[in-house]
Amino acid sequence: MRQPFFKKRAKWKFPEYCSGDKSAWMDLSEDCKRRDGYTCTECGAKGRMAGGTATLHAHHITSKSRGGGDFLLNLKTICTTCHEKHHAHMR
């Protein structure tokens, strides 16, 4: 049997190392995207709320594993393509 041409991605879920209130994270993530105009801060790709097609993520500038926290000043909006460049596990 042939493999399908497109590999279907599994539905995204919070990694196991994430703890705390998920709704608080979703609110913070949305605040970050709104602050950045629903635009990737690295390549300029526009998200749906800005009239584009890019899927956007809130990315920790200083990772949680290196002491960074979940607060707006430690987040920036980036698209999936740029996020994959930062995290090997997303490739």
Side-chain angles (χ1 to χ4, degrees):
M1 187 165 111
R2 292 180 58 183
Q3 292 290 337
F5 179 74
F6 292 103
K7 191 175 179 182
K8 186 174 181 180
R9 273 192 181 184
K11 184 175 169 121
W12 188 88
K13 59 184 178 181
F14 284 97
E16 292 194 21
Y17 61 80
C18 290
S19 60
D21 183 4
K22 306 300 188 251
S23 65
W25 167 253
M26 297 305 286
D27 290 343
L28 186 60
S29 174
E30 181 61 26
D31 289 345
C32 174
K33 294 171 194 173
R34 187 179 309 112
R35 177 200 64 201
D36 295 336
Y38 298 97
T39 302
C40 178
T41 58
E42 294 191 2
C43 72
K46 300 223 177 272
R48 289 177 190 90
M49 296 294 285
T53 59
T55 300
L56 300 174
H57 303 260
H59 172 70
H60 288 89
I61 297 166
T62 301
S63 66
K64 292 179 80 170
S65 64
R66 291 196 169 119
D70 289 338
F71 51 91
L72 202 52
L73 291 175
N74 189 41
L75 295 172
K76 66 180 181 176
T77 303
I78 59 176
C79 67
T80 301
T81 302
C82 291
H83 210 182
E84 288 173 348
K85 293 175 186 174
H86 288 278
H87 300 291
H89 69 272
M90 293 182 70
R91 293 182 197 139

